[in-house]
Amino acid sequence: MRKDQIEICCGSIQSAANAKAGGAVRVELCQGLVEGGTTPSPATIQYAAHELGLQVFVLVRPRGGDFCYNELEIKTMEEDVTFCKKSGAAGIVVGFLHPDGSVDTELTRRFVELSAPLPVTFHRAFDECAEPLKALEQIIDCGCKRILTSGCKPTAMEGADMLQQLVKQADGRITILAGSGVTSENTAALREKTGVPEIHGSCKITRPDGAFETDTEQVRKLLEVLV
């Protein structure tokens, strides 16, 4: 597995720097991890891309909670994508659902078109889909390049059977990016079981103040297992 097939979730610029120190070349950049992740600041995006030289996949999400957004929220997300394209981002990470748990294909396609030529990852909103196998086909049809998923379970190891099924059904048409609870201790078994081509790890610790931060040593160990 190449280094650019391993994505580290970073909730701050310090976490991004820690990930790089551990050998990472690609990060999903966000803030507000306690809310499940929200859009990072413009300065954070620019610094991670230009000063740290990372492949930065930016989470575009205006708030925590569900994945059904109103027009005001959508407008701000569109502005965020436009900014990311001008600021050296390597990809965009979004996810849109209807209240019934189906993929909002209209919005997903709209953001894929807006993000071009940057690739779009459909994030773990996928794990809340009512019909994941149907959702997989819809997301492929919308033009997304990746799906970040734990196999519709709390962790990727728990969702290994679904991940295996998704990889088989995708058949190379989209990349299944396995995340949640992925560590250097379990990732080899996860890959053997599921065949996932890419791995997403948080490699995080909890600081004394309660905030999450990417741990350099955990990143290094994960890369040692996979590269």
Side-chain angles (χ1 to χ4, degrees), residues 116-144:
L118 299 185
V120 170
T121 299
F122 195 98
H123 59 49
R124 287 191 64 206
F126 179 85
D127 292 323
E128 297 188 16
C129 286
E131 299 180 73
L133 299 182
K134 178 180 178 181
L136 170 66
E137 295 301 327
Q138 292 175 319
I139 293 168
I140 292 171
D141 188 59
C142 287
C144 293

Side-chain angles (χ1 to χ4, degrees), residues 85-103:
K85 291 174 66 175
K86 297 176 180 177
S87 302
I92 302 296
V93 183
V94 292
F96 303 102
L97 301 179
H98 292 298
D100 65 357
S102 62
V103 175

Side-chain angles (χ1 to χ4, degrees):
M1 179 175 277
R2 303 188 313 269
K3 279 191 175 184
D4 63 357
Q5 294 172 302
I6 304 160
E7 180 177 276
I8 306 299
C9 178
C10 297
S12 67
I13 194 59
Q14 184 61 57
S15 285
N18 293 352
K20 181 178 181 180
V25 300
R26 172 178 151 200
V27 300
E28 181 200 30
L29 192 62
C30 62
Q31 64 184 24
L33 283 174
V34 293
E35 298 180 271
T38 55
T39 308
S41 74
T44 299
I45 297 167
Q46 290 182 319
Y47 194 92
H50 295 290
E51 299 301 322
L52 296 179
L54 292 163
Q55 294 178 25
V56 179
F57 286 69
V58 181
L59 176 64
V60 176
R61 186 183 180 212
R63 55 164 172 77
D66 65 22
F67 304 103
C68 307
Y69 302 107
N70 63 38
E71 279 302 317
L72 180 60
E73 291 169 331
I74 292 165
K75 289 295 184 184
T76 63
M77 294 173 78
E78 289 177 328
E79 291 297 324
D80 285 333
V81 169
T82 299
F83 175 82
C84 288
K85 291 174 66 175
K86 297 176 180 177
S87 302
I92 302 296
V93 183
V94 292
F96 303 102
L97 301 179
H98 292 298
D100 65 357
S102 62
V103 175
D104 188 331
T105 55
E106 180 181 350
L107 263 183
T108 302
R109 189 171 287 109
R110 177 169 156 185
F111 272 77
V112 167
E113 292 173 356
L114 177 64
S115 300
L118 299 185
V120 170
T121 299
F122 195 98
H123 59 49
R124 287 191 64 206
F126 179 85
D127 292 323
E128 297 188 16
C129 286
E131 299 180 73
L133 299 182
K134 178 180 178 181
L136 170 66
E137 295 301 327
Q138 292 175 319
I139 293 168
I140 292 171
D141 188 59
C142 287
C144 293
K145 299 301 182 184
R146 291 180 177 85
I147 296 175
L148 171 59
T149 174
S150 60
C152 305
K153 297 289 185 180
T155 69
M157 287 302 294
E158 292 173 279
D161 288 340
M162 175 58 76
L163 286 169
Q164 182 185 51
Q165 195 169 356
L166 291 169
V167 170
K168 183 177 180 181
Q169 183 171 318
D171 194 27
R173 294 175 295 156
I174 194 168
T175 298
I176 303 300
L177 174 62
S180 186
V182 176
T183 69
S184 58
E185 287 78 22
N186 63 25
T187 190
L190 178 67
R191 290 197 68 215
E192 183 177 357
K193 166 70 175 177
T194 65
V196 290
E198 295 190 357
I199 292 292
H200 172 99
S202 62
C203 298
K204 66 179 182 289
I205 56 173
T206 304
R207 301 187 329 194
D209 62 3
F212 296 126
E213 188 170 285
T214 300
D215 180 60
T216 296
E217 187 58 29
Q218 288 188 50
V219 173
R220 184 177 293 116
K221 287 180 179 179
L222 182 62
L223 289 168
E224 285 175 353
V225 170
L226 292 172
V227 176

